[in-house]
Amino acid sequence: MSVIDDIAEFLRGFPPFAEFDPVDVLRLAQSVDVEFFAQGEVIFSQGAQPVEHLRVVRTGVVEVLDQGRVLDVMGPGEIFGHASMLSGLPTGFTARAAEDTLAYRIPSDVAADVFSAPRGLRFVTRQLLEDRHHLRTGPQPGAVQDRLRQPVRAALRGHFVMCAPTTTLKDAAELMTRSRVTALLIDLGESLGIVTDADLRERVVAVGRSVDEPVATVMTTPAITVPSERPGSEVLIDMFDRGVRHFPVVSPLGEVLGIVEDHDLVDYEQRTSFALRRAVALATSTAGLIEIAPRLRASIVELRRGGAAALDVMSFFSVVADALTRRALDLAVDELGEPPARFAWIALGSQARREALPSSDLDSAIVWLDGPSDDQNAISDYLARVSSMATETLRRCGFTPDRHRVSASDPLFVRSQSQWRRDVTDLLDDPTQDQALIIVSILTDSRPVWGVAMEALVAKLIQGAQRRPVLLRLLAQFALAHRPPSGFSRGHVLETSGEVRAGLNLKSAVVVPITDLARWAGVAAGATSTGTLARLEAARDAAVLSGPDAQTLRDAFELACELRLDHQVTQLGAGVDLDDSVDLAEISPLTRSYLKESFRAVASIQRRLENQLPWIS
């Protein structure tokens, strides 16, 4: 395989490249320059001039910092720098190599051309507005995910200024300066014109036009208006498509409400995860974190009521949970002093998949870098104290440690790197040993959120699984352990066991069976992504699942997440304990019919998988 083919194959393993035309991916690969950054090296600084390249992490880890605080970490396959490159705005964060890192650098002209396609634009828009500078496990394009979490009216700020078409250019410029606006609306009676500061520079100053001419001579007319309820993501895509930076926003009755510009939409992060993560990163004490934490649940309610898709809200919640976890660990390490060994805190389960909800437990583990002269007792004692302090801080922030003790507070999940490697090797050699499937399912849903990386342990596990069909068989059996209900009768849920329940537990009835199926199918396909939808897509592309089966599981998963989030938002508003059990009376007959079809579809896929088990060997 040539170097170019190797790069293209790597890119196709991650979104959004997996959705691009193979010819476009090959063109990107041909333009790549390989860069090396030593541990601690700054790739670009916050507030720097717009970057001229898109970068993709090939190996290593890149930290995202805001004012010196680590907000996020990015691993292989994740892209960064594209927000600044495409918007032409200064960089909003610092990118720094957390360890020796190889990155692919793609020139802006090639990247912008490929990313201007609809799928690329959707991917970029979602990241700009979420302040996610990656999203390898985030939502994929689709009818549900394409809804922005807020209508564009929510991004309006300040006021707008309007003048007559006969206003001189000199007066128009003075009016814009005095009002501190970057665009001016022109009242044309039945329509609007618009003049921007860029128009004045390019159409007046640059060509020596007289400032005594009327503003109508340089305005753009008719100005393209957007409805106030239109999703901001679609508005930003239109800006990219049309090459403009300003749109007047109008009410349903046609009244002008203001002007939105691309900078407003990029700054939408101030209303979503970025502002909250920044507050978390700047917290100087545990008490400060605990004071900030309630804002996360309030934001969940606001986002959902503002029209955010469930999977977007879950991703948002997981991102902020990462930030709170990181800061809790920072504060613990600051108090306890320099650790005797470098270590990483690993998020597991729904947090690792970025599918967590306010009711979710926070599963976790620790891996530490060991050496021949390590004092094992000192390391174990230190990590136990760190874990205890961080877990207690997170508990006081409203997060529940895993009820089944899948937690860094349990010594079973605090191991050295060599121990993890040995355990993974043992599992691959003998996947029938006690707790093997539990450990495998935990490791395949894992993601480092603090400290050193886990050095591709999960990748090794997945690659090994493809060569060990016995392990795949056991994973398939694990995927069959949780069966959906058989249906409804007289307001009750009928379980496959014959048991009748008064309420429907959306997590155990729908979410768990699908995530288990997606985990098996994703591992069988060799996918390193942890997100459920990404795994289903990889399984479809690798023909592990048929296209219809993958789509069925996706649709059922999205429906369950929507219902589950709505249920918990209602509980948050009422101030009651959170759960996943929904009274069937709360669900419309139409939705109940969709759920019944989901049960049947998931059960049918499980039966087909069960019939295949004798041949998975």
Side-chain angles (χ1 to χ4, degrees):
M1 178 183 296
S2 70
V3 173
I4 299 299
D5 290 338
D6 177 65
I7 294 173
E9 182 177 356
F10 174 81
L11 294 177
R12 283 194 293 269
F14 300 92
F17 308 108
E19 302 174 52
F20 289 169
D21 187 297
V23 174
D24 287 334
V25 178
L26 184 61
R27 184 151 59 94
L28 289 171
Q30 290 169 337
S31 73
V32 159
D33 286 324
V34 180
E35 296 178 307
F36 172 78
F37 300 99
Q39 180 179 350
E41 184 176 353
V42 173
I43 301 171
F44 55 74
S45 299
Q46 189 169 16
Q49 291 299 310
V51 298
E52 298 181 353
H53 300 88
L54 175 148
R55 289 181 169 91
V56 184
V57 180
R58 176 64 196 246
T59 63
V61 176
V62 174
E63 295 175 321
V64 173
L65 300 95
D66 174 60
Q67 299 181 0
R69 304 280 190 177
V70 177
L71 291 180
D72 213 339
V73 293
M74 293 179 290
E78 296 187 275
I79 68 176
F80 62 102
H82 50 291
S84 174
M85 181 194 75
L86 291 172
S87 68
L89 297 172
T91 53
F93 61 91
T94 294
R96 182 179 67 192
E99 58 184 54
D100 289 352
T101 297
L102 283 178
Y104 290 153
R105 187 180 69 182
I106 301 172
S108 59
D109 55 345
V110 179
D113 184 38
V114 173
F115 274 75
S116 64
R119 287 182 174 180
L121 282 172
R122 284 195 295 266
F123 178 85
V124 170
T125 300
R126 212 175 281 117
Q127 293 194 327
L128 290 173
L129 299 173
E130 290 178 1
D131 189 51
R132 288 299 298 165
H133 308 294
H134 49 294
L135 208 62
R136 50 155 179 64
T137 59
Q140 301 298 312
V144 175
Q145 291 87 345
D146 281 347
R147 298 202 311 268
L148 180 64
R149 56 191 52 77
Q150 293 279 3
V152 70
R153 60 175 164 75
L156 292 175
R157 57 182 179 178
H159 61 286
F160 68 94
V161 181
M162 189 176 294
C163 70
T166 55
T167 303
T168 65
L169 290 169
K170 180 177 182 296
D171 289 343
E174 290 176 351
L175 180 58
M176 291 172 65
T177 301
R178 188 168 59 250
S179 304
R180 296 183 178 180
V181 296
T182 58
L184 192 64
L185 292 181
I186 317 299
D187 186 358
L188 302 177
E190 296 297 321
S191 63
L192 293 171
I194 188 170
V195 169
T196 68
D197 52 359
D199 293 333
L200 295 179
R201 290 193 305 270
E202 298 168 7
R203 301 178 186 179
V204 179
V205 177
V207 298
R209 188 185 295 271
S210 170
V211 295
D212 293 325
E213 292 186 29
V215 70
T217 59
V218 298
M219 69 180 178
T220 298
T221 182
I224 302 168
T225 62
V226 294
S228 60
E229 299 304 312
R230 190 174 187 193
S233 59
E234 296 180 9
V235 174
L236 190 57
I237 287 174
D238 280 350
M239 287 181 175
F240 287 153
D241 273 345
R242 297 176 184 273
V244 301
R245 300 184 59 183
H246 301 79
F247 280 148
V249 178
V250 297
S251 72
L253 298 178
E255 176 189 3
V256 178
L257 302 178
I259 300 175
V260 65
E261 57 180 303
D262 58 354
H263 189 72
D264 295 327
L265 292 176
V266 173
D267 280 350
Y268 205 85
E269 61 199 10
Q270 297 300 326
R271 296 167 176 82
T272 52
S273 67
F274 188 85
L276 196 48
R277 291 189 326 187
R278 174 175 287 180
V280 168
L282 295 177
T284 58
S285 65
T286 297
L289 273 188
I290 295 169
E291 183 178 345
I292 293 167
R295 291 168 54 186
L296 174 55
R297 292 192 171 196
S299 296
I300 294 299
V301 174
E302 180 184 353
L303 289 172
R304 184 57 175 172
R305 290 177 177 172
L311 291 175
D312 286 347
V313 177
M314 292 158 68
S315 177
F316 164 84
F317 184 86
S318 302
V319 165
V320 180
D322 288 354
L324 284 162
T325 301
R326 275 192 292 272
R327 194 67 189 124
L329 286 161
D330 287 339
L331 294 171
V333 169
D334 287 347
E335 182 171 336
L336 293 175
E338 189 70 21
R342 295 176 65 204
F343 72 95
W345 184 279
I346 311 299
L348 306 173
S350 60
Q351 184 185 0
R353 298 192 303 270
R354 290 196 173 91
E355 295 166 2
L357 280 172
S359 66
S360 300
D361 299 340
L362 289 191
D363 304 354
S364 57
I366 286 178
V367 56
W368 50 275
L369 298 180
D370 49 341
S373 59
D374 287 338
D375 184 338
Q376 303 288 326
N377 291 331
I379 294 173
S380 296
D381 178 65
Y382 181 94
L383 293 179
R385 294 166 66 194
V386 162
S387 177
S388 176
M389 293 174 66
T391 300
E392 175 60 17
T393 298
L394 291 170
R395 186 193 65 77
R396 296 177 66 190
C397 287
F399 294 96
T400 305
D402 182 70
R403 297 174 180 85
H404 303 290
R405 299 185 65 188
V406 181
S407 168
S409 59
D410 189 319
L412 178 64
F413 297 100
V414 181
R415 312 186 191 195
S416 70
Q417 190 177 56
S418 62
Q419 286 175 314
W420 279 115
R421 285 179 184 154
R422 186 165 56 250
D423 293 337
V424 167
T425 300
D426 289 346
L427 288 175
L428 294 176
D429 289 340
D430 181 15
T432 63
Q433 62 186 283
D434 187 40
Q435 294 186 316
L437 279 182
I438 295 176
I439 297 296
V440 167
S441 66
I442 287 170
L443 287 180
T444 49
D445 286 2
S446 64
R447 180 171 52 82
V449 297
W450 189 93
V452 298
M454 203 162 50
E455 201 181 32
L457 288 176
V458 173
K460 177 182 178 182
L461 179 66
I462 293 172
Q463 292 163 3
Q466 288 181 296
R467 297 189 299 271
R468 291 171 172 82
V470 173
L471 180 60
L472 283 180
R473 177 186 174 87
L474 292 177
L475 271 178
Q477 291 176 331
F478 190 77
L480 299 174
H482 299 94
R483 305 279 184 161
S486 57
F488 306 125
S489 176
R490 298 179 181 178
H492 289 75
V493 180
L494 303 178
E495 301 290 350
T496 53
S497 62
E499 185 179 357
V500 178
R501 296 185 184 274
L504 173 65
N505 188 304
L506 290 163
K507 180 179 178 181
S508 61
V510 187
V511 174
V512 171
I514 294 175
T515 54
D516 288 348
L517 279 169
R519 183 185 300 113
W520 160 76
V523 170
T528 56
S529 301
T530 55
T532 297
L533 297 189
R535 284 170 166 169
L536 292 175
E537 287 197 2
R540 178 202 62 199
D541 293 343
V544 175
L545 290 174
S546 69
D549 280 354
Q551 188 62 48
T552 294
L553 293 176
R554 178 186 184 122
D555 292 343
F557 182 72
E558 289 176 344
L559 174 61
C561 290
E562 296 282 326
L563 294 173
R564 195 178 171 206
L565 177 60
D566 282 340
H567 176 65
Q568 293 189 17
V569 164
T570 299
Q571 291 180 317
L572 286 170
V576 299
D577 292 340
L578 302 179
D579 59 37
D580 292 296
S581 185
V582 182
D583 187 335
L584 290 181
E586 301 174 11
I587 303 175
S588 71
L590 180 61
T591 303
R592 285 201 297 270
S593 69
Y594 287 149
L595 283 170
K596 287 175 64 176
E597 289 303 317
S598 296
F599 298 159
R600 292 169 183 163
V602 173
S604 176
I605 294 170
Q606 288 181 325
R607 284 194 298 271
R608 286 201 293 275
L609 175 58
E610 196 168 25
N611 292 333
Q612 292 172 12
L613 281 177
W615 290 275
I616 303 177
S617 58

